[in-house]
Amino acid sequence: GAGVSQSPSNKVTEKGKDVELRCDPISGHTALYWYRQRLGQGLEFLIYFQGNSAPDKSGLPSDRFSAERTGESVSTLTIQRTQQEDSAVYLCASSILLTGVDTIYFGEGSWLTVV
Amino acid sequence: QKEVEQNSGPLSVPEGAIASLNCTYSDRVSQSFFWYRQYSGKSPELIMSIYSNGDKEDGRFTAQLNKASQYVSLLIRDSQPSDSATYLCAVRGVTNAGKSTFGDGTTLTVKP
């Protein structure tokens, strides 16, 4: 596709339920990133993928959070047993390579509300 | 101390003025520096990147980097109401190029 695509764009879920957020990166982009942004705050790094591997999972807030990427394409961020503090927008981004100087392109985000 | 610090603002400037946004970072070995613009309810959009000391100009935008002072700034000349947004500073390191660390952003309002 033309840009990074995320789904769902909005999700309201009950506390304790599991949610899956999907990201389709720009075709050909080998690097994929997940960030979380709470209202009025900056972006909080969660995890990145180089190909299908995740070298740095240190940003995942707890063991309720997991992410995977298959086929060097689609990625899924799963939050188990959601809590109210998980409410945020989850942003996915991708870049062609992982050089540190390449441009990162963001999707429009998945807005998660836990009630 | 946060890894990347920005004044939260809000910063208000009149139309046509210069807006100056500042960012400091704590990791001395940081390699790459980025300024993103984020409109309310939208995702961040890259507007400038800078990798070496000095100034980098792109249209009305100038990024300035001083690695000795661990300081990066963004100047917006001839500010327009459409520049009103939150500006996020991001830093990427040498050893972990996959992780960008963001500041909390500075909210800019340009008044007509």
Side-chain angles (χ1 to χ4, degrees):
Chain A
V4 177
S5 177
Q6 292 188 245
S7 62
S9 54
N10 281 286
K11 176 74 175 179
V12 179
T13 190
E14 291 180 353
K15 179 180 172 181
K17 294 282 179 68
D18 298 351
V19 296
E20 279 191 357
L21 307 176
R22 176 188 166 106
C23 174
D24 243 305
I26 294 173
S27 179
H29 280 198
T30 61
L32 185 148
Y33 316 80
W34 283 99
Y35 285 85
R36 177 171 72 178
Q37 188 174 32
R38 292 198 170 105
L39 193 63
Q41 297 186 16
L43 275 67
E44 176 187 3
F45 169 78
L46 297 179
I47 191 171
Y48 76 88
F49 290 88
Q50 184 168 16
N52 293 332
S53 300
D56 184 357
K57 300 181 181 179
S58 64
L60 294 176
S62 73
D63 59 7
R64 296 187 295 106
F65 287 73
S66 62
E68 65 174 17
R69 188 182 186 194
T70 56
E72 296 196 0
S73 180
V74 172
S75 176
T76 302
L77 177 68
T78 301
I79 309 172
Q80 295 179 310
R81 306 181 302 282
T82 51
Q83 303 294 312
Q84 287 186 330
E85 64 260 27
D86 299 335
S87 296
V89 58
Y90 290 81
L91 291 161
C92 178
S94 70
S95 62
I96 294 177
L97 297 173
L98 194 73
T99 64
V101 298
D102 46 301
T103 299
I104 295 176
Y105 298 90
F106 283 88
E108 290 300 317
S110 289
W111 295 74
L112 176 65
T113 303
V114 182
V115 297
Chain B
Q1 182 191 8
K2 286 189 174 181
E3 292 182 59
V4 178
E5 297 219 38
Q6 299 181 249
N7 291 330
S8 60
L11 174 65
S12 181
V13 300
E15 184 174 356
I18 296 175
S20 177
L21 305 163
N22 304 315
C23 173
T24 57
Y25 59 94
S26 60
D27 187 350
R28 283 197 167 272
V29 297
S30 297
Q31 174 189 31
S32 314
F33 307 87
F34 305 86
W35 283 100
Y36 288 83
R37 178 176 61 200
Q38 187 175 27
Y39 292 114
S40 181
K42 297 294 186 181
S43 59
E45 171 193 14
L46 180 69
I47 52 173
M48 288 287 287
S49 58
I50 187 167
Y51 312 116
S52 54
N53 281 329
D55 294 0
K56 179 181 177 182
E57 187 174 319
D58 184 1
R60 296 186 296 110
F61 299 95
T62 299
Q64 299 174 316
L65 175 61
N66 183 326
K67 289 187 177 181
S69 300
Q70 295 173 239
Y71 174 91
V72 58
S73 66
L74 179 70
L75 299 177
I76 306 174
R77 290 182 301 283
D78 187 24
S79 295
Q80 301 297 309
S82 59
D83 295 327
S84 298
T86 296
Y87 290 80
L88 300 166
C89 173
V91 174
R92 294 174 86 170
V94 173
T95 55
N96 192 356
K99 179 182 176 181
S100 294
T101 302
F102 284 78
D104 286 344
T106 298
T107 300
L108 171 67
T109 300
V110 180
K111 296 186 174 180

